[in-house]
Amino acid sequence: MTMTTEADDWKWMARAIQLARKGLYTTDPNPRVGCVLVAGGRIIGEGFHRKAGEPHAERNALADARTHGHDPRGATAYVTLEPCSHHGRTPPCADGLIEAGITRVVVAMRDPNPLVAGQGIARLRDAAIVVDGGVLQSQAEQLNPGFVERMRHGLPWVRCKLAMSLDGRTAMASGESKWITSDAARADVQRLRARSSAIVTGIGTVLADDPSMNVRVPLATLEPAVAGLEIRQPLRVVLDSRLRIAPDARLIGLSGDTLILTLNDNPARMTLLQQAGAEVRVFDDVAGDSLPLQAVMHLLAERGVNEVLIEAGPTLAGAALSAGLIDELVIYGAPHLMGDAARALFHLPGIERMEQRIELEIMDQRRIGPDVRTLAWPRGIPRPNHRQAS
């Protein structure tokens, strides 16, 4: 019998995490999961979850082992997420591991889904399988920030993408903004869009730019391992309190779904937009003339949205940041200056003193072509309600 060390567990789990990332653009609304089967100190099978409705990572790994002539009986399974214990579109993975004769399962993290929530681990242990957990847990959680956030708190993980000049400007005073950043940065944004469940923008951006808000690169370019699958277009969401969007707006006519959120219950306008292919949702009983952003995010989570990408102007970006709804900022900085008459990155009224400034924790910073991409997490913004389930 081969003895397994802690270093071995890390090594095999790291490979499982690497496999899970292959589903980064295709598993939504399911989590990205990888699995490695190890026997005799070597991998005998591996797999990842490719797409919702298809077999999960564990069953793909078992099939891979058998395809290569390996009997998984007695092997150890390394899984980035607790094996499911319920019947959905596919049978429970915990049962598949039990039936295959797996003797040990190493889990990176427990499944936050209330339908599982430890039941998969319990089922394995009831079958006399040794289960160990917490190996590379933080790395595993980073695979699925939106799924974890939605299951734990009823909200998606919200990113806000912004492009700016070196002096922090996003558009000229006239509104001209094409193009601040390079082709390389815009290609990188396509990856952000492809991994997102929904892209949110404001009506101001739609009226000014008539954007597409879609993924325009082949799936094979993003991840060759899933090249045979069809690209999944994220849900396009427009915040339009007065319902000013035109039925012939470019984003409505493109492949994928468009959701327009409004306060204006205008049957004629709604009918025209619905005939054009958009879904319209009216928020009732709202005080004021602005859509309630926290309620918007809860609504998206209820629709199975894991990761939201905000692509908007300074007003919506500033409102979402001030409301504590942005989890991650993705800022592309271009090496040029646009002058103090140009538009700022955020509209943040009320900040007048140094102690009122919003601090950021820089998580990553790197060159993307001639530009610099900064990933930052906001700090110090009160979040009394949005981390609690509604």
Side-chain angles (χ1 to χ4, degrees), residues 354-368:
M354 288 293 284
E355 60 265 27
Q356 294 175 303
R357 61 190 172 183
I358 297 172
E359 294 187 3
L360 305 176
E361 181 178 359
I362 304 299
M363 307 304 295
D364 182 75
Q365 198 165 49
R366 65 185 66 197
R367 288 284 294 270
I368 305 291

Side-chain angles (χ1 to χ4, degrees), residues 116-356:
V116 184
Q119 296 179 57
I121 290 174
R123 184 174 298 195
L124 293 170
R125 286 177 172 158
D126 287 345
I129 294 175
V130 175
V131 181
D132 296 311
V135 177
L136 300 186
Q137 178 172 332
S138 62
Q139 291 89 332
E141 290 196 2
Q142 289 169 23
L143 284 168
N144 299 293
F147 178 79
V148 171
E149 189 74 4
R150 180 165 66 90
M151 290 300 166
R152 289 179 178 169
H153 306 293
L155 285 157
W157 180 267
V158 181
R159 293 186 182 88
C160 183
K161 184 276 294 182
L162 298 151
M164 69 175 191
S165 60
L166 196 59
D167 53 348
R169 303 296 169 169
T170 64
M172 304 307 294
S174 64
E176 180 187 359
S177 61
K178 295 183 179 180
W179 296 103
I180 293 176
T181 53
S182 65
D183 289 345
R186 293 197 296 277
D188 195 60
V189 171
Q190 290 293 311
R191 293 184 173 273
L192 282 179
R193 288 183 177 181
R195 71 170 293 169
S196 300
S197 313
I199 302 174
V200 173
T201 195
I203 185 59
T205 297
V206 174
L207 295 177
D209 300 335
D210 194 19
S212 298
M213 290 173 54
N214 63 348
V215 181
R216 298 189 291 273
V217 295
L219 192 54
T221 301
L222 300 170
E223 176 50 69
V226 293
L229 299 179
E230 184 178 350
I231 192 74
R232 174 193 54 80
Q233 290 293 344
L235 174 69
R236 295 182 290 270
V237 182
V238 180
L239 307 189
D240 182 6
S241 59
R242 289 185 284 165
L243 208 56
R244 292 184 289 161
I245 190 170
D248 62 353
R250 183 181 301 168
L251 57 84
I252 295 178
L254 296 173
S255 172
D257 297 327
T258 300
L259 172 64
I260 300 168
L261 302 179
T262 186
L263 303 177
N264 184 4
D265 187 6
N266 184 320
R269 292 285 296 170
M270 291 174 63
T271 298
L272 287 174
L273 291 166
Q274 289 164 350
Q275 289 174 342
E279 178 187 353
V280 182
R281 171 72 180 265
V282 179
F283 277 78
D284 298 317
D285 302 323
V286 173
D289 58 1
S290 297
L291 284 158
L293 294 182
Q294 183 168 314
V296 166
M297 294 305 167
H298 278 296
L299 170 67
L300 294 179
E302 290 169 2
R303 293 173 66 106
V305 167
N306 289 329
E307 297 182 21
V308 165
L309 179 64
I310 294 178
E311 293 194 55
T315 301
L316 177 54
L321 183 63
S322 298
L325 291 170
I326 293 179
D327 298 290
E328 181 178 335
L329 292 168
V330 184
I331 303 173
Y332 296 87
H336 54 241
L337 305 174
M338 294 171 61
D340 57 5
R343 298 179 182 180
L345 196 63
F346 292 98
H347 177 60
L348 295 169
I351 296 182
E352 300 175 352
R353 300 184 304 277
M354 288 293 284
E355 60 265 27
Q356 294 175 303

